Amino acid sequence: RVIEIKLPSTAWDGAQEGVEALLDRWQVAEKTVVTKGQVLATVVLVKASIDIEAPDNGWLENIRVKEGESFADGTVLANFTAS
């Protein structure tokens, strides 16, 4: 089962319209096996740093937003395959 990894919509609460987030760092590489709750990436939004955790046990399948790239609300950051 493939899961799209996105910044939770609640993280955008209070952000001004048109604000983008910055993918600061991928904490794991593609094809790395991870456990549920493990931090996959760190994102900076409105001067706050937010960790994105693995939604289940599995692996990070396909990184779609590279470190240092900005992205808008609803953008798929990566695909994740649950085991």
Side-chain angles (χ1 to χ4, degrees), residues 23-56:
L23 199 138
D24 187 49
R25 178 171 167 79
W26 282 104
Q27 303 295 338
V28 297
E30 287 183 353
K31 310 297 183 198
T32 302
V33 175
V34 298
T35 57
K36 183 176 183 174
Q38 183 174 342
V39 174
L40 300 176
T42 301
V43 168
V44 176
L45 174 66
V46 191
K47 299 183 181 182
S49 183
I50 301 162
D51 289 331
I52 298 173
E53 298 179 349
D56 207 338

